[in-house]
Amino acid sequence: MAMSDKTPSATLAPGTTSSVPESSSTAPVSWASVWRVYAERATLRMLLLGFSAGLPLLLVFGTLSFWLREAGIDRTTIGFLSWIGLAYGFKWVWAPLVDRLPIPVLTRLLGRRRSWLLLAQLTIIGALCGMALNDPKLSLQPMVWCALAVAFASATQDIALDAFRIESADAKRQAALAAAYQTGYRIAMIWAGAGVLWIAARAEVPNAAAYQPGAWQTAYLVMAVSMLPGIITVLFSAEPAERARAESDAETAATRARFAATGIPLYGAVLFATLALLVLLLPAAPGVVVRAYDLALGAYLLPLLAYVLAVIGLARTGIRVALPARLVPAAVWFDHAFYVPFAEFLKRYGKQAIVILALIAIYRISDVVMGIMANPFYVDMGYTKDEVAAVTKIYGVIMTLAGAFIGGAMAMRLGVMRVLMLGAVLSAASNLLFAWLGTRGHDVSALIFVISADNLSSGIASAAFIAYLSSLTNVNYSATQYALFSSMMLLLPKFLAGYSGKYVDAFGYSHFFTATALLGLPVLVLVALASRLQAPKSQ
């Protein structure tokens, strides 16, 4: 698989990181240099901040499904409730706000990145406490409200943290930062998965009812306290250096003059109105999620497709509408915050952007679609909270650390695309192991083997994938562009995951895990195509 030290386009935009972190024209990085990077302060900081980022995900996704299943919620409803995680898939919508909008007082004291990180972390703590104080068996909708708040705040934290990470080091160190971030992230997921189960099991009253909401309340309150290391790290970290704004200021002045003279594109006005409408409808989101299973797939996809086609049609007409002078500054800000970052990426990569975005959209599809049914699978196979917690806590931690550091080191030494291919193969193969586990009955030894293999493969794939996404961004728009990439990574997989419960009810667990492994086959083709697009031209 040939690699290149050039970007797909002829030149890079100012401040843009290379599209390929590794270089084929220079001597390979020594292993000693690779490992020394992991001891640097910025890398260690990413380890702690990665823990803060990884903690909330399972608490509204996998671990929550264990709680809901134990509370007697059916699998179909649990599957659809995984759509709470779609907040991560739409974070690109408000990423421009995080990228450019200051927070009163906080931004002046901490800087743009750290202020948003702190606000998001405090919101996560409050919403986790809200989840702890609600029993889904008695009323599901308050739980959904709080879970949505956790998901939105967590997605906001991801936006600010991704930008903080990309701006904290040069392109050569992004693989190491990604590996450290991923290690902290995965450790937090184990704590939010195995840790919650272990705490809940310890908090249960012996010989009492099988379902004890008080045990889950204790576990989720402990998770809220576990966000404190991330807050402390933010408070004692340095804000990344401000980027030069001279070129951006010139572009802003030109846009202001153009909008004042000719108005704004009609499709831009439609997009702005849509965003405003979504904000107004946000209070109805919990009820929509709870009742989502009553609607057919076409009820979501067909209106969305019609809307996209309508906006594209308006864009092609070139129609512009006049704007009052007092609204021009707001329109310019909206244009540079929302439109320019996306347009810059498409301009930089041209037609090759289609392959890159397709790869991003489905790279983690096997893991994400499978993940929502993993905990209900453990419950239905008769594994106790203690058994799952013990296996994940010991073997999961070891393999997570090994996978993340091996993946980061291999990406720096051998190249990101090679490790992306390896990670795609391993991720799909590990799902087949879950299908095999389903034939073993209550077999703890088999559970150890499968969880170990799954964490190792996921660590390798994730470290390389994060480095790849980081390499695609222009640092002038790091928060917005990375949010677009990471949102695309989750949007389709999490949408499909919503139907996982129905699929299991219809065909069973083994058939489901095999199907999720097959979903990974197109990923191999796209990795190969993306590698070819980045191959050097013949001299």
Side-chain angles (χ1 to χ4, degrees), residues 100-189:
R100 288 173 173 260
L101 190 67
I103 301 174
V105 182
L106 273 182
T107 298
R108 180 170 52 84
L109 295 175
L110 301 176
R112 186 170 61 251
R113 301 306 182 204
R114 292 196 300 152
S115 61
W116 276 102
L117 281 172
L118 183 62
L119 178 63
Q121 290 167 344
L122 292 174
T123 304
I124 290 169
I125 289 176
L128 286 177
C129 291
M131 291 181 69
L133 298 177
N134 282 285
D135 182 359
K137 191 169 186 176
L138 299 179
S139 180
L140 189 57
Q141 189 154 318
M143 176 68 76
V144 176
W145 264 111
C146 294
L148 276 170
V150 172
F152 276 104
S154 176
T156 302
Q157 179 185 218
D158 288 349
I159 294 167
L161 183 51
D162 290 331
F164 185 93
R165 171 173 50 80
I166 292 169
E167 295 169 2
S168 295
D170 56 29
K172 291 181 180 179
R173 285 174 166 76
Q174 286 300 324
L177 293 186
Y181 170 87
Q182 184 63 20
T183 300
Y185 197 99
R186 296 287 295 177
I187 291 174
M189 291 182 70

Side-chain angles (χ1 to χ4, degrees), residues 325-346:
R326 65 180 181 277
L327 296 181
V328 168
V332 171
W333 185 91
F334 184 83
D335 178 77
H336 281 260
F338 286 86
Y339 172 75
V340 171
F342 304 136
E344 187 278 336
F345 172 79
L346 295 175

